[in-house]
Every structure is written in structure tokens, then in C-alpha cells.
Amino acid sequence: MSIYSSNSSYAANSQAINRQKRSHRSKVGLSHCNGTWHAKQKGIALFQVLLITAVISIMAMQFTQTARNQISIASTIVDRVQAQSELRSAEAELLFSLITEKRQRDIHSNNSYAQNWNFYGKPFGLTQASQSDLASNQSAFSTSQPQETYRFNDDGTRLKNFSLEGRDNVQITMQDQTGLISLYRGNGATKFEELLNSFSTNPRIDTYENSYGNYFENSYGNNYESSNQSGFLNRNAHSQQNAYQQEYSAALLEQLQPSIMANSMVDWQDGDDAERINGAEARFYDTPGMPTNLPLQTYQELRHVRGFNRQMLELLWPYITIRPQGYINPMIAPPRVMGLYMPQDRVDEIVRLRETGQLDQQQFENLSGLEVDETINFVNSGLLRIEIQVSVNQVLLTKQLDIMMQPYDKHPYIVYEIKI
């Protein structure tokens, strides 16, 4: 009995111990599982935080970039408005100067336009005349001294002198069209044909003869990234542009047909249906309204004439005009046009003197051998081709005018054509 009781007690104790061991092992296992689960949860939470941070950062960068773009657009709009305002101001001041000042350069003038302008197609700025300009002018004309000029009304009262200061972000080009070959009514056909032939005999293009490249929507590819602080092409960019123009014109030489272009231009404007040799009348065009048998109304109209195309018009733009002229003034002509009247060495010397402000009528007559007659005169006219450029930061605006100045008329100027 005692032995049995002892064994029963031992068995009960063993079972109790086993239960305790199993309970301990289950608790240890549950605790291990809970630790692993919590570790996994912490890893997922960290990934979510990093992901949300990345998304917020990307959104912040996007907002920042959008804000910068909006600021840049707003700044460009402000610059454009300012450029438009300055362009209108420069145009008004230039027209006022052309009406009130003599159409010749006067470095002693209070007017910055009259101080710097020329009428032979070379771009000029509106800075004050430099001491070197004053010195060269005085050396060329030693008897000239700065003089104050006065103007008077019809009743004898003196007009007030106006002082116009220049802007360093304005560039102007003016060409007196009496220095160009006129195609009006085909009267200049002979000289026009000589001009076309000169591209083969003398293909050189001078540094400023194609100043009006913007006329055909920047056909020469102005590079604004190469511009200086004032927004205009620097010398390197200008040299690259001139090199491109030379290559560009060389490619057109093979397309030039001087006789066909000159005679077709005459047939386009004459009032008859008789076809000139190498010309073109209605039978050639076979299109109603062509030719018009009227004077050219716009320069672009030449594109429809036999032998002409858009590239030809770009090439010829600095040398020809469609406006009527009573005479030609070779003294203010582009060098290529001037070369139709005299040898090239004379042209080079005249251009050199003209660039330094030392050329006068007497010198020109002596060098060129030309004299005033019924077709040649050395007086500047009011028929002008004007280009005004204004730059404000990265905004560059251009306006071109084909205009007739007549200061003493009821209407002081007539605008034939405007291009902005």
C-alpha cells in the first residue's frame, strides 16, 4: 500500500513537471514569434516612411520647378513689355530726329541719333560720340568747330533745342534707298543685270551688307546664345554669320540667271504682252493675273517672277528697292552697288574713308570720277529703309519700316511697309 502510494505520488509529480516544461516551452516559442513579428512590422513601417518621404520630396521638387518656370515666364513677359515700350520710344525719337535734324552725321549734336546715324546700311548704336570720333572728325575738317544750332518758327521765334539721350540696348540700321538699284517699272534693268553678274565676278559679301537678314524671319539664323550683355551679336557670332552668308550666297550663284531675271522683271511690270528676249509674259506663267503688268507693290511679289525665289530675294535685299527714285546716290550705296560705277580699288578706298567719317562730296568725286548729272546726285533723300532692334535681357524685338520722310509736308512721313 505504501509502495503503491509512493509510485502514484511520483507519477503525479512527473506529470506536473512535464506540464510545467511544456507550458514554459510554449511561452518561450510564443515570445519568439512575437519578437519576429514586431521586427517585421518595424521594417515595413520604415519602408513606408522612406517611400512617403521620397514622394513628398519629388512633389516638392516639382512644385519648385513649376514655380521657377512661372517666375521665368512672368519675367519674360515683363521684359517683352519693356522691350515693346522701348522699341516704340526709339521709333518715335528716331522719326522726330529725322524730321528735325539734318540727314547727315553731326557728332557735336545734342541728339544722340544725329551723333551716330549713317544712311548707308551700317548698324549703329546710340552711345555718345567717343573722343576718337571727335578727333578724327576734327582732323578731317580742321575748320569745323562745335556750334550751337538754332531753329526758328515762321514768325521768327526761336524753337527750343531738344536733347535726346541714347540707349545702350538699341541698334538701328538705315539705308537711303537712293543708294540702291530701283526695279520700279523696270527702269533699272541694265544696272540690275550688272548687279546679278557681279555675284559671279566678285562674290565677296561685306560685313554689313546683309544687316537686314531678319526681314525674312531670321533666315540667317541669329544665335541669341552668342549675344553679349546688350543682346546683340558679338564679333565672333557676327563673323560666323558672315561666313555662313558667304557660303549661302555661293550656293546660290549657280541658280542666278541674270538675263532671265532682269528681262522677266521688266515684263512683269510693263503694260504690254510683248515678251522680251529671255523674258516672261502671260503665256509662260499660264496663271490668271500673272504677270500683273503693274509696278511691284511689295518686295515679296518678286517671288512670282520668273527666275526669282525666296533665297534670291534674301540675297538681293540689301542692294535693290522697288520704290521709284529720281536719281541714284552712289556715295551712300553698298560697296557692291558702288562697284557698278567704279573699279574695286576705288570702292575700297571710298568705303574706308566713309567708315572713318572722312568722306565728303569732293573726295568722292575725285576718287570715283563721277559727277552730278540727270541720273546721279549726292544728296540724301527721305526714302529710307529702317530697322530698329531693342534688347531687354533675353528678349530681342525688331521692327522694320519702309518710309518716306517729308518734314515740310502736312504729313511729315509716309510709311509704305511695316514688319515686326
Side-chain angles (χ1 to χ4, degrees):
M1 185 66 179
S2 61
I3 294 174
Y4 177 77
S5 299
S6 176
N7 289 336
S8 298
S9 177
Y10 176 76
N13 290 336
S14 297
Q15 292 177 357
I17 291 171
N18 290 333
R19 282 196 300 271
Q20 289 178 358
K21 290 181 178 180
R22 287 195 299 271
S23 176
H24 178 69
R25 283 196 297 268
S26 65
K27 289 180 180 181
V28 171
L30 181 60
S31 176
H32 178 71
C33 291
N34 287 338
T36 304
W37 182 82
H38 284 299
K40 291 181 179 180
Q41 288 295 102
K42 288 181 180 180
I44 293 174
L46 178 60
F47 175 76
Q48 291 176 339
V49 170
L50 294 175
L51 180 61
I52 293 172
T53 302
V55 171
I56 294 175
S57 299
I58 294 173
M59 292 178 64
M61 292 173 62
Q62 182 64 32
F63 292 152
T64 302
Q65 186 62 37
T66 302
R68 289 177 178 174
N69 291 339
Q70 295 295 331
I71 292 173
S72 177
I73 293 172
S75 177
T76 301
I77 293 174
V78 172
D79 292 342
R80 183 174 181 82
V81 172
Q82 182 180 348
Q84 289 175 336
S85 176
E86 295 194 19
L87 180 62
R88 293 191 181 98
S89 297
E91 178 188 355
E93 292 174 357
L94 176 62
L95 294 179
F96 174 81
S97 301
L98 288 170
I99 293 172
T100 59
E101 300 283 342
K102 294 181 179 180
R103 285 191 289 274
Q104 59 187 28
R105 188 182 182 191
D106 181 7
I107 62 175
H108 301 300
S109 173
N110 295 332
N111 188 316
S112 61
Y113 293 84
Q115 278 187 7
N116 296 280
W117 63 22
N118 66 77
F119 297 89
Y120 48 84
K122 180 181 179 180
F124 63 91
L126 298 179
T127 56
Q128 296 295 322
S130 65
Q131 294 299 321
S132 60
D133 290 335
L134 293 171
S136 64
N137 183 270
Q138 290 177 357
S139 63
F141 308 101
S142 58
T143 59
S144 65
Q145 297 294 333
Q147 296 180 357
E148 186 175 3
T149 58
Y150 302 101
R151 296 181 179 84
F152 298 88
N153 289 317
D154 294 337
D155 59 2
T157 58
R158 196 177 83 181
L159 291 173
K160 179 181 178 181
N161 276 336
F162 289 91
S163 177
L164 291 178
E165 298 181 357
R167 299 179 177 86
D168 58 0
N169 63 335
V170 175
Q171 181 172 277
I172 299 173
T173 305
M174 293 194 296
Q175 173 65 61
D176 188 328
Q177 296 189 49
T178 57
L180 307 179
I181 302 298
S182 175
L183 305 187
Y184 181 77
R185 290 285 188 184
N187 296 332
T190 302
K191 283 297 180 184
F192 178 57
E193 187 171 350
E194 291 179 16
L195 174 71
L196 296 175
N197 285 318
S198 74
F199 284 94
S200 298
T201 58
N202 184 14
R204 186 190 66 178
I205 295 182
D206 295 88
T207 56
Y208 58 85
E209 282 189 3
N210 277 319
S211 301
Y212 295 90
N214 286 335
Y215 186 87
F216 293 93
E217 301 174 2
N218 287 326
S219 302
Y220 292 142
N222 290 349
N223 184 0
Y224 296 110
E225 294 181 358
S226 299
S227 59
N228 55 27
Q229 292 180 353
S230 64
F232 300 116
L233 294 177
N234 58 29
R235 291 185 178 180
N236 292 334
H238 198 197
S239 300
Q240 294 173 3
Q241 187 183 28
N242 288 333
Y244 173 75
Q245 290 173 3
Q246 292 178 5
E247 179 181 354
Y248 181 78
S249 63
L252 288 175
L253 292 180
E254 297 180 359
Q255 303 179 35
L256 285 175
Q257 305 174 75
S259 180
I260 290 176
M261 295 171 68
N263 288 283
S264 298
M265 180 269 298
V266 176
D267 278 342
W268 183 272
Q269 300 179 80
D270 62 19
D272 57 55
D273 294 329
E275 186 173 297
R276 298 165 62 97
I277 298 176
N278 291 328
E281 285 287 353
R283 184 178 59 180
F284 174 84
Y285 297 106
D286 195 24
T287 302
M290 296 176 63
T292 62
N293 291 325
L294 293 171
L296 293 164
Q297 302 300 304
T298 65
Y299 186 69
Q300 293 88 341
E301 187 179 334
L302 278 170
R303 288 183 297 179
H304 305 293
V305 180
R306 179 187 179 188
F308 291 83
N309 56 39
R310 180 185 176 89
Q311 291 73 28
M312 296 292 182
L313 267 61
E314 294 174 1
L315 183 68
L316 297 174
W317 171 251
Y319 315 106
I320 62 177
T321 177
I322 64 170
R323 307 301 171 194
Q325 55 184 211
Y327 60 89
I328 187 167
N329 183 357
M331 191 171 173
I332 55 173
R336 185 179 296 282
V337 175
M338 199 183 299
L340 303 178
Y341 295 86
M342 66 195 76
Q344 186 61 43
D345 58 339
R346 302 290 181 90
V347 173
D348 295 338
E349 179 63 17
I350 290 172
V351 170
R352 185 189 67 80
L353 293 174
R354 189 170 68 177
E355 291 291 311
T356 57
Q358 302 178 48
L359 183 66
D360 58 17
Q361 181 175 336
Q362 186 62 47
Q363 287 178 312
F364 181 82
E365 290 179 352
N366 293 337
L367 287 170
S368 65
L370 300 175
E371 296 180 352
V372 176
D373 58 23
E374 63 275 7
T375 60
I376 296 178
N377 207 322
F378 305 119
V379 178
N380 290 353
S381 76
L383 183 60
L384 303 175
R385 182 183 288 173
I386 301 174
E387 178 183 274
I388 306 173
Q389 284 188 349
V390 174
S391 66
V392 177
N393 295 327
Q394 297 300 315
V395 176
L396 179 63
L397 297 183
T398 302
K399 185 172 185 178
Q400 295 169 345
L401 302 170
D402 203 352
I403 193 169
M404 166 62 82
M405 304 301 303
Q406 41 191 23
Y408 302 106
D409 196 86
K410 180 180 179 180
H411 302 285
Y413 62 86
I414 299 174
V415 179
Y416 295 122
E417 187 175 359
I418 298 176
K419 189 175 189 302
I420 301 177

